[in-house]
Structures are given as C-alpha cells and as structure tokens.
Amino acid sequence: MMKLSTEQFTALQQELDSIKQQVQAQLGEADARYIRRVLLLQRLSAISGRILLVLGFITPWLWLAGVLLLALAKILDNMEIGHNVLHGQYDWMNDPVLHSKRFEWDIACDAASWQRTHNFEHHTYTNIIGLDRDFGYGLLRLSNDFRWRLRNLWQGGTYLLLSMLFQWGVSYHELAAQRVFFGKKKADRHTQVSDSELKRAFFGKGARQLIKDYLFFPLIAGPMWLWVLGGNLLANLLRNVWTSTVIFCGHFTKEVYAFRPEDCENESRGQWYYRQMLGSSNFTGPTWLHILTGHLSCQIEHHLFPDIPARHYPAMARQVQAIAAKYGIPYNSGSFVRQYSTVFWRIMRYSLPGGNRATAPGQLQQIGPV
C-alpha cells in the first residue's frame, strides 16, 4: 500500500468530491420515480404477503409465498427505503413520507435513536477503536486490539443469536452505549437525550412492533391466527438474518482496516475519505442483489457518500475503484460468498486468544489490516 503525502490526500479529496458533485448535479425526477416505485413494491409485497398468510389453509405453498413476500417487504423497508431515507438521501424531494425527519421504519429500533448512533457516531468515527461502537457492537471481539475474555469462546453462537434478533440489537444499541440499564456510567458521558427519553423510545417502539406482528394481525386472522403468527415470526427472522449478514459483509471482512484515535486527530477531509475506503468492504452481484442490500453491497461508496441516493453507488464504484488503484489504496471487493466466509473466519479466529491487531503504530497512512 502506497504511503500518501499531504498533497496526495488533498488530491484524493478533490477527486472524490468531484464524483459526488457530478452525481448531485444529476439528481431529479428519475431518482424520485425510483424510490417511489420501490416504496410501491414494498407496500404491495406487504399486503400480498399478509393476504397469502391467511389463505394458507388452502395449501401450505400459499402460506410459504406469503412469508417470502412479507420478508421481502420488510427487507425493502429496512434496507433500500429505511436505511437510505434516514440518511437524508431523499430529503431534497420534500416528500411527506420519504424524509429523514419524518420516516419511521418497520423494525423495533426507533428511527431517531438509529440516526444518532449510526449516522453520526459510526459514519464519523468509522472503525476507530474505542469511538466506533459498531466495531463488534460490544459483543464480539474482532481484533487483538480488544482484550480476550472467556465469553469470547462462544462468540460464534453470540453472533448467530445477534443475527436472528438483529432488530432488537440495533434497538438496544444506544441504551447499551449509554449504560442506561447496566454498568457504571462514564464520567465523560455525553448524550443528546435523557435516559428517560431513551427508555420511552425503546419500550414504545418495541411494544408497537410486538403488538402489530404478534397480536393485531394474528387476531384479525381469526382461525388462521397461528399461521399468521408463525408467518410474521419467520418473516422477521429472515429480515433480521439478511440485514445482519449484509452489514457484517460490509464492515467485518478479513481485509478491513481499523484505526487508533490518536492517528485520526485533526484528519483532513482527504484522510477521512481514505479511512472510509480502508474500513469498508464491497461485494459483487446482480442488480436485484444490490436492491435487496439497500445498495450496501457498495459499502465503500456508502461510507464515502452516505447522503447520495444509493442507486448511484454501483456506477460510482467503478470510478472510486479507479481512484483507489491510482493512489495505491486497497479496494476490498469480492463475491458475496467470499466476503461472508472471511467474516465468519474473523469471528471464529478472535473467539480465541491472540491474533493480529487491527491497528499499528504510526500515521494514518501506515495503519495495517487485521
């Protein structure tokens, strides 16, 4: 990997800024039509799926189709719509639904809580040890920068459980970070909202989700209540596992880099871009796969341009990859299967003592991979 000079960091910033400005200049009706079509597909999938769950008494195949359609609706709501809308990618439309300040998604996590922990903390301090709490979520040891604990021996099982309950892990993330229920609060703890507000949002949103999926819809299904209850449970499970898998493939592959806080002090915009490129992973696939991932298959581009409508990421990726090659910056991309296999390797490797550190002494441009 090439060691970049101050002048090269400046040039890198200018080239990536230029890509962003070119796309921003093109935003318009085509983007509005696209996200509204996705929203329509999501709503039709949800309605069709819930109808087919009730019709499962005719044949179990209808019930299975209902589960898959409902899972598709939940995945689209969570990924291509919710995640991207809450990043403000479509705020310029001034749509009453598709605006980051008004949108609420179909998962247990309160949208405002997610924006605080994800939009600000994770995207500002990406992969900085001790500052980005998304690096392992406080549950998984993913490098030797963290002290090995006995509980890490079974972190493979912890990961599987987290994947199945991912919406609840995301919902609890801010409360865990602020030590609302457990642990001694840090002296330098800062929060934008009070503990009571965090708890009210956590329990309020969670209760609404539980009532909707496991009480309201089963009750109105009458004698098919158990089929609907089971279908909702399975659809949520599929959505949780898929979302978790996509996110882990974008952040925790074997080749991603991590950083020390002291190496990122007073970093320039060019250095911030550089850190995003080193701390993210892409995976390749057809158009439908990009859509189902919310285009987080292009996680590198998302970390570089989080407020650009994600449908542009695949085209931007070709330009970003060329720039990475020009400056000798690793561009971590591969097939979905390959990337996930390295995620699993990383989780299992660091369940045992030892292993490599994700960070190394020196300046930002000298930091090495796991």
Side-chain angles (χ1 to χ4, degrees):
M1 181 172 58
M2 184 188 300
K3 182 176 179 179
L4 302 187
S5 64
T6 301
E7 292 74 18
Q8 287 173 313
F9 277 125
T10 301
L12 175 67
Q13 173 189 339
Q14 292 171 347
E15 292 197 49
L16 292 174
D17 281 347
S18 177
I19 293 175
K20 180 178 181 179
Q21 290 161 6
Q22 289 170 18
V23 175
Q24 284 178 320
Q26 299 169 7
L27 297 183
E29 187 57 34
D31 297 280
R33 284 198 306 269
Y34 171 80
I35 193 60
R36 286 172 178 147
R37 284 200 302 267
V38 175
L39 181 60
L40 178 61
L41 174 61
Q42 185 272 328
R43 289 175 172 175
L44 290 176
S45 298
I47 294 169
S48 301
R50 294 197 182 280
I51 291 173
L52 290 177
L53 289 180
V54 178
L55 296 179
F57 70 90
I58 298 175
T59 171
W61 292 108
L62 288 177
W63 178 84
L64 180 59
V67 170
L68 295 177
L69 280 170
L70 185 57
L72 172 63
K74 288 176 176 288
I75 288 170
L76 289 174
D77 174 87
N78 196 177
M79 305 297 282
E80 185 71 338
I81 302 171
H83 173 270
N84 295 332
V85 167
L86 291 175
H87 264 294
Q89 293 180 7
Y90 296 96
D91 283 2
W92 54 272
M93 291 170 53
N94 254 336
D95 188 276
V97 174
L98 300 169
H99 194 283
S100 62
K101 301 300 182 185
R102 295 187 286 270
F103 187 86
E104 187 61 68
W105 49 4
D106 182 26
I107 65 170
C109 180
D110 173 65
S113 174
W114 181 84
Q115 288 175 312
R116 287 189 294 270
T117 57
H118 181 85
N119 285 16
F120 172 70
E121 182 178 293
H122 172 61
H123 278 270
T124 302
Y125 305 114
T126 307
N127 285 23
I128 299 179
I129 301 298
L131 296 179
D132 181 9
R133 286 181 289 237
D134 280 15
F135 194 78
Y137 299 103
L139 296 172
L140 306 174
R141 177 179 180 264
L142 298 176
S143 83
N144 201 20
D145 294 280
F146 298 92
R147 181 167 60 92
W148 183 84
R149 302 171 184 268
L150 182 62
R151 70 183 187 190
N152 296 126
L153 277 176
W154 53 85
Q155 74 176 18
T158 302
Y159 163 67
L160 294 177
L161 185 61
L162 174 63
S163 292
M164 291 188 290
L165 300 175
F166 198 64
Q167 67 166 329
W168 297 100
V170 173
S171 178
Y172 185 65
H173 191 43
E174 186 175 24
L175 283 86
Q178 300 299 338
R179 301 183 179 180
V180 171
F181 294 117
F182 303 103
K184 183 179 179 181
K185 298 186 185 300
K186 297 181 179 179
D188 61 348
R189 171 178 175 264
H190 300 288
T191 180
Q192 300 177 45
V193 295
S194 66
D195 286 0
S196 61
E197 289 177 280
L198 289 177
K199 288 187 283 188
R200 184 164 56 250
F202 173 75
F203 288 115
K205 183 66 188 298
R208 290 195 296 275
Q209 291 299 115
L210 290 172
I211 291 171
K212 175 178 68 69
D213 278 340
Y214 304 124
L215 185 62
F216 175 74
F217 281 113
L219 282 179
I220 65 173
M224 290 296 292
W225 71 271
L226 188 57
W227 289 74
V228 171
L229 178 67
N232 287 345
L233 182 63
L234 185 54
N236 280 329
L237 177 63
L238 290 172
R239 184 270 318 281
N240 289 347
V241 171
W242 175 250
T243 302
S244 170
T245 301
V246 169
I247 290 173
F248 271 65
C249 282
H251 295 85
F252 307 130
T253 57
K254 185 179 178 181
E255 292 84 4
V256 297
Y257 291 61
F259 312 89
R260 303 185 312 175
E262 57 267 32
D263 293 318
C264 302
E265 292 178 356
N266 302 314
E267 66 180 0
S268 66
R269 183 67 175 176
Q271 289 172 324
W272 181 87
Y273 275 143
Y274 182 77
R275 176 161 56 84
Q276 303 305 317
M277 295 172 75
L278 293 178
S280 315
S281 305
N282 285 9
F283 55 86
T284 56
T287 300
W288 63 263
L289 181 64
H290 291 309
I291 294 172
L292 289 183
T293 67
H295 286 88
L296 293 182
S297 48
C298 299
Q299 187 70 241
I300 295 172
E301 287 66 38
H302 174 59
H303 275 168
L304 291 172
F305 315 111
D307 57 351
I308 291 291
R311 64 186 287 260
H312 295 280
Y313 290 161
M316 299 173 85
R318 292 189 287 272
Q319 297 174 279
V320 172
Q321 190 167 11
I323 291 173
K326 175 180 177 180
Y327 290 95
I329 302 171
Y331 188 88
N332 184 4
S333 183
S335 70
F336 178 76
V337 173
R338 177 192 176 278
Q339 296 294 59
Y340 184 69
S341 68
T342 70
V343 169
F344 192 74
W345 174 91
R346 186 170 191 165
I347 292 170
M348 299 312 296
R349 170 61 191 90
Y350 290 100
S351 67
L352 302 174
N356 297 329
R357 296 175 67 88
T359 58
Q363 299 303 310
L364 180 63
Q365 60 267 35
Q366 296 174 302
I367 291 175
V370 174

